[in-house]
Short mmCIF file of all heavy atoms in Angstrom, two decimals:
data_model
loop_
_atom_site.label_atom_id
_atom_site.label_comp_id
_atom_site.label_asym_id
_atom_site.label_seq_id
_atom_site.Cartn_x
_atom_site.Cartn_y
_atom_site.Cartn_z
N LYS M 416 -23.51 3.16 -14.27
CA LYS M 416 -23.29 2.94 -15.70
C LYS M 416 -24.04 3.97 -16.52
O LYS M 416 -25.00 4.59 -16.06
CB LYS M 416 -23.73 1.54 -16.10
CG LYS M 416 -25.23 1.31 -16.03
CD LYS M 416 -25.62 -0.05 -16.60
CE LYS M 416 -27.14 -0.19 -16.68
NZ LYS M 416 -27.54 -1.48 -17.29
N ILE M 417 -23.57 4.16 -17.77
CA ILE M 417 -24.28 5.05 -18.69
C ILE M 417 -25.09 4.27 -19.71
O ILE M 417 -25.86 4.84 -20.46
CB ILE M 417 -23.31 6.00 -19.44
CG1 ILE M 417 -22.35 5.21 -20.33
CG2 ILE M 417 -22.56 6.89 -18.46
CD1 ILE M 417 -21.54 6.09 -21.28
N GLY M 418 -24.91 2.95 -19.74
CA GLY M 418 -25.69 2.13 -20.68
C GLY M 418 -25.13 2.16 -22.08
O GLY M 418 -25.90 2.13 -23.05
N ALA M 419 -23.81 2.22 -22.22
CA ALA M 419 -23.17 2.18 -23.54
C ALA M 419 -21.82 1.50 -23.40
O ALA M 419 -21.16 1.62 -22.37
CB ALA M 419 -23.01 3.58 -24.11
N SER M 420 -21.41 0.77 -24.45
CA SER M 420 -20.10 0.12 -24.48
C SER M 420 -19.12 1.03 -25.20
O SER M 420 -19.45 1.61 -26.23
CB SER M 420 -20.19 -1.23 -25.20
OG SER M 420 -21.08 -2.09 -24.54
N VAL M 421 -17.91 1.13 -24.66
CA VAL M 421 -16.89 1.98 -25.28
C VAL M 421 -15.66 1.14 -25.60
O VAL M 421 -15.40 0.11 -24.98
CB VAL M 421 -16.50 3.16 -24.36
CG1 VAL M 421 -17.67 4.09 -24.16
CG2 VAL M 421 -15.98 2.65 -23.02
N THR M 422 -14.90 1.58 -26.59
CA THR M 422 -13.67 0.88 -26.95
C THR M 422 -12.62 1.11 -25.87
O THR M 422 -12.59 2.17 -25.24
CB THR M 422 -13.13 1.37 -28.30
OG1 THR M 422 -12.88 2.78 -28.22
CG2 THR M 422 -14.14 1.10 -29.42
N LEU M 423 -11.76 0.11 -25.68
CA LEU M 423 -10.75 0.19 -24.63
C LEU M 423 -9.34 0.27 -25.17
O LEU M 423 -8.37 0.09 -24.44
CB LEU M 423 -10.88 -1.03 -23.71
CG LEU M 423 -12.20 -1.16 -22.98
CD1 LEU M 423 -12.24 -2.44 -22.16
CD2 LEU M 423 -12.47 0.04 -22.09
N THR M 424 -9.21 0.55 -26.46
CA THR M 424 -7.87 0.68 -27.04
C THR M 424 -7.25 2.01 -26.64
O THR M 424 -7.94 2.95 -26.24
CB THR M 424 -7.94 0.58 -28.57
OG1 THR M 424 -8.92 1.51 -29.06
CG2 THR M 424 -8.32 -0.82 -29.01
N ASP M 425 -5.92 2.07 -26.75
CA ASP M 425 -5.18 3.26 -26.36
C ASP M 425 -5.53 4.43 -27.26
O ASP M 425 -5.79 4.27 -28.45
CB ASP M 425 -3.68 2.97 -26.43
CG ASP M 425 -2.85 4.08 -25.82
OD1 ASP M 425 -3.43 4.90 -25.09
OD2 ASP M 425 -1.64 4.10 -26.06
N GLY M 426 -5.52 5.62 -26.69
CA GLY M 426 -5.79 6.81 -27.47
C GLY M 426 -5.94 8.02 -26.59
O GLY M 426 -5.98 7.92 -25.38
N THR M 427 -6.00 9.18 -27.20
CA THR M 427 -6.14 10.43 -26.45
C THR M 427 -7.29 11.29 -26.95
O THR M 427 -7.51 12.39 -26.45
CB THR M 427 -4.84 11.25 -26.54
OG1 THR M 427 -4.55 11.53 -27.91
CG2 THR M 427 -3.68 10.49 -25.92
N ALA M 428 -8.02 10.78 -27.92
CA ALA M 428 -9.07 11.60 -28.54
C ALA M 428 -10.38 11.54 -27.77
O ALA M 428 -11.26 12.37 -27.98
CB ALA M 428 -9.30 11.16 -29.98
N GLY M 429 -10.55 10.57 -26.87
CA GLY M 429 -11.80 10.43 -26.14
C GLY M 429 -12.22 8.98 -26.08
O GLY M 429 -11.49 8.07 -26.48
#
Side-chain angles (χ1 to χ4, degrees):
K416 68 173 187 177
I417 63 170
S420 299
V421 295
T422 59
L423 299 177
T424 52
D425 189 15
T427 58

